[in-house]
Amino acid sequence: MSDQDNALALHNQARAALGVAPLQWDNNLQAAAQSWANHLAQVNSLDHDPNASAGENIALFSPASDTILENATGLWLAEKTAYSYGIFDGSQVEAAGHYTQCVWANTTNVGIAAATSSSGTEFVVARYLPQGQRPQQGFEGIFLVNATNSSGGQKCGVGWYRNALQAEGQSPDPPLEAAGVGRDWIPWEGNEQSVTFADGNVFAWNINANAQSEPDYTMVGTSHNNFRNFDVYKDNKRILYSQNGWDYRTIYYCK
C-alpha cells in the first residue's frame, strides 16, 4: 500500500472503532493541502491557513520520510489520550483537536499532502470536508438523567445536546419529554434498554450492573443511536438544569 493509502486506512480504523463511517480520499482537498504545504515549506514555519474553507490538520517532521502521511496521521490520532470525559473546555479541544477532526462523524472527505523545506523539514497538511470540530462548536452529548421535585416525585429520561459545552443550565434539544421523561423510575444499569425520540431516532444503552460503584467519569458501558456508537461514562449526579420545580441530575454521559 502507498503512504496515502496507509494514512487513509489509519483514519478509517480510528473511525471504525467509534462506529462512524469511513472517509473517502478527495483529490481536490489533496490539491488544496498541497498548495498550503508548499507555502509552509517555503516559509519554513508551521501555521494554519487562515483562509482555509475546510477542516485542517498540520504537522512537521525532520528528517523527511517515505511514510510521512502515515506518520502525521498517527501523530494526530495519538491525541485521543488527551480527549477525556469530564473536561469540556477549550483547553481539551486544543489538546485533542487534531484527533477529533480525524474522527468527526459528519466529515466524509479527506486529502493529505506534504512538502519539504530547504532545511529538510517536511510539512504535512490534511484538509477535511465537511469541516469537523472547532472549540466554539462543542461536542455532541447525550445525558441519562434522573429528576426529582420537592414533593418526592421521580422521573427519568434521555437528553440529547447538540453542544455539550453548553449543557449546564440548559434543557436539551429536543426536550427530555420527547425522549422518555415521565417514564416509570427505572434503573439505568443492566440489560440493554432504549427510548425513541419524537423524530423516530432510537437511542439504546447497556450499562454495567455495578456502574454506580465505579469512580466518576469511568467508562461503564456502551450505547448507540441510528447514526453512531457512544461510550457511556458515570457522571457525578450534578444538577444539569432545573425546570418547573424539577431538578435534573446527570447520572451517565454518552459520547
Side-chain angles (χ1 to χ4, degrees):
M1 293 175 62
S2 67
D3 188 26
Q4 172 183 310
D5 291 337
N6 287 333
L8 180 62
L10 276 183
H11 274 83
N12 288 335
Q13 288 168 15
R15 294 172 68 85
L18 299 175
V20 297
L23 297 177
Q24 302 296 319
W25 189 265
D26 189 309
N27 290 330
N28 291 329
L29 288 176
Q30 181 186 23
Q34 187 67 67
S35 177
W36 188 246
N38 292 344
H39 166 76
L40 296 180
Q42 182 178 16
V43 299
N44 203 26
S45 179
L46 187 68
D47 201 2
H48 283 288
D49 182 353
N51 299 313
S53 58
E56 181 179 75
N57 280 345
I58 55 177
L60 63 80
F61 294 87
S62 183
S65 166
D66 291 337
T67 59
I68 194 68
L69 305 187
E70 180 181 1
N71 294 346
T73 302
L75 181 70
W76 299 327
L77 292 175
E79 291 182 0
K80 180 179 181 179
T81 58
Y83 180 54
S84 56
Y85 170 69
I87 309 174
F88 289 106
D89 58 28
S91 64
Q92 186 205 21
V93 176
E94 183 69 22
H98 297 101
Y99 167 72
T100 56
Q101 174 59 92
C102 288
V103 299
W104 194 247
N106 291 340
T107 299
T108 58
N109 289 39
V110 64
I112 316 174
T116 306
S117 72
S118 59
S119 66
T121 300
E122 194 152 20
F123 293 85
V124 183
V125 178
R127 293 284 173 88
Y128 302 83
L129 281 177
Q131 184 172 2
Q133 188 58 57
R134 287 182 171 181
Q136 63 269 29
Q137 290 177 317
F139 291 87
E140 174 188 17
I142 296 175
F143 292 86
L144 310 185
V145 302
N146 290 347
T148 57
N149 63 17
S150 58
S151 301
Q154 296 179 325
K155 56 184 179 179
C156 59
V158 177
W160 176 79
Y161 286 82
R162 187 183 310 277
N163 184 350
L165 278 168
Q166 299 175 353
E168 296 291 339
Q170 303 295 321
S171 59
D173 179 23
L176 276 165
E177 284 72 17
V181 155
R183 297 167 46 143
D184 294 335
W185 186 264
I186 60 171
W188 294 108
E189 303 79 19
N191 296 328
E192 181 164 290
Q193 304 177 68
S194 66
V195 294
T196 302
F197 284 79
D199 63 2
N201 186 19
V202 176
F203 179 75
W205 63 92
N206 195 327
I207 299 174
N208 301 340
N210 64 343
Q212 280 301 304
S213 65
E214 298 289 343
D216 291 343
Y217 313 127
T218 300
M219 181 179 167
V220 293
T222 58
S223 57
H224 60 88
N225 61 15
N226 294 11
F227 307 103
R228 54 165 292 196
N229 297 326
F230 299 81
D231 293 330
V232 180
Y233 295 82
K234 181 189 173 189
D235 214 333
N236 61 2
K237 298 185 176 67
R238 69 189 186 280
I239 295 177
L240 190 62
Y241 72 101
S242 298
Q243 189 176 69
N244 299 326
W246 290 85
D247 290 332
Y248 295 84
R249 296 181 181 274
T250 169
I251 311 302
Y252 296 103
Y253 174 75
C254 311
K255 74 172 182 68

